Amino acid sequence: MIRPGLALCLALWLPGLQAGAEVNAPALYRAHCARCHGQERLGGMGPALLPENLHRLKPRQAREVILHGRPATQMPAFADRLDARQVDALVQYLYTPPPRPPRWGRREIERSRRLLVPASRLPDHPLHHADPLNLFVVVELGDHHITILDGDRFVPLARFPTHYAVHGGPKFSPDGRFVYVSSRDGWVEKYDLWSLQKVAEVRAGLNTRNLAVSDDGRYVLVGNYLPHTLVLLDAGDLHPLRILEVRGRDGTTSRVSAVYTAPPRHSFIVALKDIPEVWEIDYADEPLPVYNGPMHDYRMQEGLARVDGRFPVRRIQLAQPLDDFFFDPGYRLLIGAARRAGKVHVIQLDVGQKIADLPIDGMPHLGSGITWLWHGRRVLATPNLRKPEITVIDMKTWKVVKRIPTQGPGFFLRSHENTPYAWADVFFGPHRDLVHIIDKRKLEIVKTLRPVPGKTSAHVEFDRDGTHALLSIWDRDGAVIVYDARTLKEVKRLPMVKPSGKYNVYNKITRSEGTSH
Ligand code: DHE
């Protein structure tokens, strides 16, 4: 019989073993990590600890987290319980794929789903006095929360804890009432912006890229890195309708780079990371009108083709896989970045063919691009993650009309129909505390702000009528700063914990040309 005190000592000692003996990392994991991160490393109260989920964290940073914990989270420090050898072994274990690829199929997805408030218990009018179309959803990455902000008075209405690492833009139902948020750990959460409560959640993948909502508000499509799937959810209660394995013609499977809805086409467009194809998934009840032109690569693939006679998948063959893309305002053209090949292609979606290559190198962040009319022509402007430049391109000739030099590579560019300015952050390098204001008529920087010296300023979003611009101070001790969009003067500062993106309901559902969709 082992005494309780001795049992505790053994539990602490056994997994690590003695100096000289080999460290048993799986045993260490089971003893110290599994309770929060799951027996299979798929996540639990803490995030998933699989190589795919850790690719943004360097092993030496993982080591620091194990030793010293993570501030403002439940992650404790293990420096007093694990020695250097044990920590190294654990880190190595976490960055090693499990012997069998983890399964995340219909059963696991359905089991993870929680319907918190059925539709019958939702109110039929907003329960707050703010303009429901001028709300902002602010993602606070620092402590994994979202804040719902009144866009007229700039006061927070509610704050909710989210799953680990919300990334990409939350997406709204077409009427702007519901918002769907996806986290890198695969969770999709649905919130009601009228009653300010979470309605449902489901884990659609183990490592998720982003999600899109159909323009009829009926479906949510989730694109995953792990497993290689697309998951179609019912937008009402988030139950899984269909899981599409992402597989090329030769059988190779692929991660999903991004999925977006294309409202005039009533379809989802999906870019794939590992195979040179773009998929168009038709969600209209009636099939789209037959296209009578040349049928380049317009084929259905058996097995994936339809759910109950619907959701045909159309494959468009490309020269290179795409990482990031953007549409023209009519959704006939897809402008996609093939980062590894260093190319940007323009694909005509109706014929499924490339019609131009764009002269942009570096790593254009097209998802952050915007368009506007310039001397009667529509131009596309994109920041670049590697080059200190905003590139402005004529969308008819596909020629560069201006390269606007900046103080460093940037992540986000934002504007609004009612302002002559576009705001571009400098996200990388010594000047990451700057934000440039570009005159859309002159294609020139007219002012550069340094809102908080030494702290990264990033990601602007306008309010409904474009009179205010909201900017993030990307720091744990951060803020959302509200500017008068005309005078460029600060109006208000709201403390927030590393606010990443912010999303205005009206601008998103009306697909304002100055923001992402
Ligand atoms: Fe993002 C959007 C890809 C790293 C913050 N990012 C997106 C989208 C894609 C993308 C495809 C559009 C999805 C959508 O909105 O539905 N991001 C990538 C990458 O490939 C990259 C470079 C590497 C990666 O690890 O994924 C990357 N992104 C980051 C970050 O490091 C950022 C700065 C911090 C974070 O959250 O991880 C970041 N990405 C964002 C934000 C958006 C985004 C805030 C939404 C912008 C918007 O206004 O719509």
Side-chain angles (χ1 to χ4, degrees), residues 55-56 141 166-169 171 184 209-211 225 257-260 273 323-324 339 363 365 367-368 385 411-412 414 427 459 461 474 500-503 508 515-516:
H55 81 279
R56 293 167 54 76
L141 205 54
V166 167
H167 173 239
K171 299 288 161 18
R184 290 195 189 256
R209 202 60 190 146
N210 76 329
L211 62 77
Y225 262 12
S257 303
V259 351
Y260 297 101
K273 194 101 179 166
D323 300 275
D324 195 3
R339 288 180 188 159
M363 199 159 146
H365 198 234
S368 261
L385 300 179
F411 236 103
F412 303 107
R414 290 286 174 262
F427 200 87
H459 195 279
E461 174 92 350
W474 204 288
S500 51
K502 59 207 80 59
Y503 309 88
K508 294 295 175 189
T515 190
S516 61

Side-chain angles (χ1 to χ4, degrees), residues 78-354:
F78 286 90
D80 58 343
R81 279 172 275 176
L82 300 174
D83 65 28
R85 244 168 26 103
Q86 291 173 316
V87 175
D88 290 342
L90 252 183
V91 170
Q92 198 182 356
Y93 175 66
L94 300 182
Y95 285 82
T96 307
R100 276 187 316 280
R103 195 193 134 76
W104 202 257
R106 181 181 291 272
R107 198 183 43 192
E108 290 78 11
I109 295 174
E110 189 51 84
R111 271 193 198 151
S112 71
R113 188 170 71 93
R114 290 199 308 146
L115 179 61
L116 305 166
V117 190
S120 58
R121 291 211 339 251
L122 289 172
D124 59 6
H125 59 275
L127 301 183
H128 53 78
H129 298 294
D131 173 359
L133 294 185
N134 195 24
L135 300 177
F136 285 86
V137 175
V138 185
V139 174
E140 290 183 74
L141 205 54
D143 64 351
H144 309 288
H145 277 70
I146 56 168
T147 288
I148 314 300
L149 197 66
D150 175 343
D152 289 312
R153 293 178 303 136
F154 304 112
V155 277
L157 299 179
R159 192 167 190 266
F160 302 102
T162 64
H163 285 278
Y164 179 74
V166 167
H167 173 239
K171 299 288 161 18
F172 297 89
S173 57
D175 59 359
R177 172 169 185 173
F178 298 105
V179 63
Y180 300 85
V181 177
S182 67
S183 70
R184 290 195 189 256
D185 252 10
W187 284 94
V188 173
E189 297 169 90
K190 175 179 176 180
Y191 296 86
D192 177 22
L193 296 177
W194 284 9
S195 57
L196 298 175
Q197 58 185 328
K198 179 147 94 173
V199 172
E201 66 175 17
V202 68
R203 191 173 190 188
L206 296 172
N207 188 304
T208 287
R209 202 60 190 146
N210 76 329
L211 62 77
V213 179
S214 61
D215 71 285
D216 56 14
R218 288 189 292 175
Y219 309 111
V220 173
L221 187 67
V222 185
N224 288 324
Y225 262 12
L226 187 70
H228 292 178
T229 53
L230 282 161
V231 177
L232 186 72
L233 303 171
D234 181 304
D237 61 6
L238 301 186
H239 78 265
L241 292 170
R242 179 70 160 169
I243 300 166
L244 304 183
E245 195 187 26
V246 180
R247 202 177 269 283
R249 289 205 174 88
D250 65 356
T252 316
T253 64
S254 174
R255 295 168 292 169
V256 174
S257 303
V259 351
Y260 297 101
T261 189
R265 309 177 73 84
H266 307 300
S267 63
F268 292 116
I269 305 288
V270 184
L272 307 180
K273 194 101 179 166
D274 307 305
I275 49 181
E277 289 181 15
V278 161
W279 288 7
E280 176 162 28
I281 303 178
D282 176 359
Y283 54 69
D285 270 339
E286 298 297 322
L288 290 173
V290 175
Y291 170 67
N292 287 322
M295 301 297 274
H296 296 283
D297 267 316
Y298 190 116
R299 269 182 235 164
M300 308 294 179
Q301 196 221 354
E302 280 168 25
L304 292 185
R306 287 169 188 275
V307 187
D308 304 329
R310 301 187 45 224
F311 307 113
V313 179
R314 172 193 174 201
R315 293 166 179 267
I316 297 171
Q317 198 68 40
L318 309 173
Q320 281 105 15
L322 298 183
D323 300 275
D324 195 3
F325 67 97
F326 181 84
F327 295 108
D328 72 317
Y331 290 84
R332 296 174 73 89
L333 303 175
L334 178 154
I335 300 110
R339 288 180 188 159
R340 274 160 292 174
K343 299 248 188 277
V344 176
H345 303 299
V346 182
I347 316 288
Q348 216 289 358
L349 285 168
D350 295 334
V351 295
Q353 269 209 325
K354 185 176 85 174

Side-chain angles (χ1 to χ4, degrees), residues 505-516:
V505 175
Y506 183 82
N507 294 339
K508 294 295 175 189
I509 65 173
T510 56
R511 300 185 184 278
S512 158
E513 65 180 22
T515 190
S516 61

